[in-house]
Amino acid sequence: MSSLLNVAIEAAQAAGQLQREHFGSDLSVNEMLQYDIKLELDVRSQQIITDIILKHFPDHAVLGEEGSDGNLQSTTEWIVDPIDGTVNYFYGIPHFCVSIGVKEKGELVAGVIYDPIQKETWAIEKGSKPTLNGKPIRTSSRAHLADAVVTVGFSKSREAIEASFDRYKRISVAVRKTRMLGSAALALAYIACGRLDAYVEEQLSEWDIAAGKLLLIEAGGEFIEQPSRTHEGKLFICATNGKVDLTEFL
C-alpha cells in the first residue's frame, strides 16, 4: 500500500471518528439551504483531514467542499468531501461517509471512502484491486435491467430535480428496484462491491465522486461523466457495474 493511500485512510478514519462521536447530538448549522445543509462539523472534519495530509505532504494541494489549502500549484491534489451525505447526518440517518481522492498530474491514482457508522473502508490505488476492509471486491455479475437495483440521485436544485423525474420514472419500471440513498460516494462504493448495479445523478461536484470513480472502474464498472445540463460547472454521471446498460436513460 502506498504512502498516499495510507495517509488517505488515516485522514478519512480520523474525520470519521469525529463524526461518529457527534452523530445524533445537537449540531451547529452554518447554513440552511432549500435542498442542502452546511454543518460546522463539515468544516471541522475537513480541517482534520487537511492537517493530516499536510503533515505528511506539506507541498500538496487539498481541494475540498469546504475550501482549499496547501500548495495550490502542486501536481498532487487531494479531492475531499468531509461528509458526503450531510443531510442524512443532520437528520440522524446513518448513511454518510468521508470521501478522499488523490490526483497526480490530473489523473486519479488513489481513493478512500469511509463509512463511520458501519466502519467500512473502501480503498483503491490505480492499477490494483479495490478492497473493502482489506478484502478484494468487484462489481456484480447482473447484466439484465430486470435484475438490477439502481440508485437515483435528485441533486440540489429545482432544475436538476425536474430533469431527474422523467429519467427516474423510465428507469423504475425497467429495473427490479430503485433506491434513493443520499450519498454519491457510497452509491459508487456499493456498486463497486456488488450491492447495487447502477447510479445516475444530474448534478454533482468532483469531490462527490473522485474516490468512488476510481474505485468503481478498478472494480470492473463503467463510469460515464458529462457536463451537467442543469448547472454550469457541475457533473452528470451514470455509473454501472459494467454489465447493465443504462444508455437509453441518459
Side-chain angles (χ1 to χ4, degrees):
M1 193 181 297
S2 74
S3 56
L4 290 174
L5 189 58
N6 276 323
V7 171
I9 292 171
E10 177 188 349
Q13 292 183 347
Q17 180 178 342
L18 175 73
Q19 294 162 22
R20 191 166 54 247
E21 290 169 354
H22 288 272
F23 184 65
S25 65
D26 291 334
L27 299 169
S28 176
V29 177
N30 285 349
E31 193 173 7
M32 188 73 74
L33 305 172
Q34 184 174 10
Y35 300 114
D36 200 11
I37 298 171
K38 300 293 185 182
L39 299 177
E40 183 267 343
L41 200 68
D42 283 287
V43 177
R44 289 174 61 191
S45 295
Q46 184 163 317
Q47 191 61 57
I48 286 173
I49 293 166
T50 298
D51 289 347
I52 290 173
I53 292 169
L54 295 183
K55 179 183 70 175
H56 291 277
F57 304 109
D59 198 44
H60 287 187
V62 180
L63 310 176
E65 185 172 15
E66 303 304 321
S68 302
D69 208 333
N71 174 16
L72 301 186
Q73 306 307 312
S74 175
T75 58
T76 304
E77 300 172 330
W78 296 71
I79 315 298
V80 176
D81 193 340
I83 307 179
D84 187 56
T86 302
V87 173
N88 283 352
Y89 188 92
F90 180 76
Y91 279 88
I93 300 169
H95 188 81
F96 57 90
C97 68
V98 183
S99 175
I100 303 174
V102 188
K103 281 185 169 182
E104 288 188 334
K105 298 180 180 179
E107 182 180 13
L108 285 165
V109 295
V112 170
I113 295 170
Y114 178 57
D115 178 339
I117 300 298
Q118 300 298 328
K119 296 186 179 179
E120 292 186 322
T121 303
W122 288 265
I124 182 59
E125 290 180 288
K126 184 175 176 58
S128 68
K129 291 188 179 299
T131 61
L132 169 55
N133 289 348
K135 297 180 180 179
I137 58 171
R138 65 171 298 104
T139 58
S140 73
S141 60
R142 292 179 286 273
H144 301 292
L145 279 174
D147 298 324
V149 178
V150 178
T151 183
V152 179
F154 280 80
S155 303
K156 299 175 181 178
S157 73
R158 178 177 292 275
E159 294 78 12
I161 290 168
E162 290 176 350
S164 300
F165 266 118
D166 177 63
R167 181 181 298 111
Y168 173 76
K169 287 188 290 185
R170 291 185 290 122
I171 288 175
S172 64
V173 297
V175 302
R176 173 153 287 156
K177 284 289 183 180
T178 55
R179 294 288 181 261
M180 291 181 233
L181 302 174
S183 168
L186 282 178
L188 295 170
Y190 278 25
I191 301 171
C193 67
R195 295 174 183 172
L196 295 171
D197 303 301
Y199 168 44
V200 182
E201 186 149 355
E202 189 70 38
Q203 186 177 300
L204 291 166
S205 299
E206 185 179 20
W207 48 72
D208 297 314
I209 60 172
K213 175 181 178 179
L214 182 61
L215 185 79
L216 175 72
I217 291 170
E218 296 291 358
E222 181 180 5
F223 191 93
I224 297 171
E225 178 182 323
Q226 301 170 354
S228 170
R229 288 155 282 192
T230 61
H231 193 291
E232 186 176 355
K234 299 288 186 178
L235 301 169
F236 165 85
I237 72 153
C238 176
T240 75
N241 62 357
K243 303 165 189 70
V244 169
D245 184 4
L246 286 186
T247 53
E248 65 182 286
F249 303 108
L250 302 188

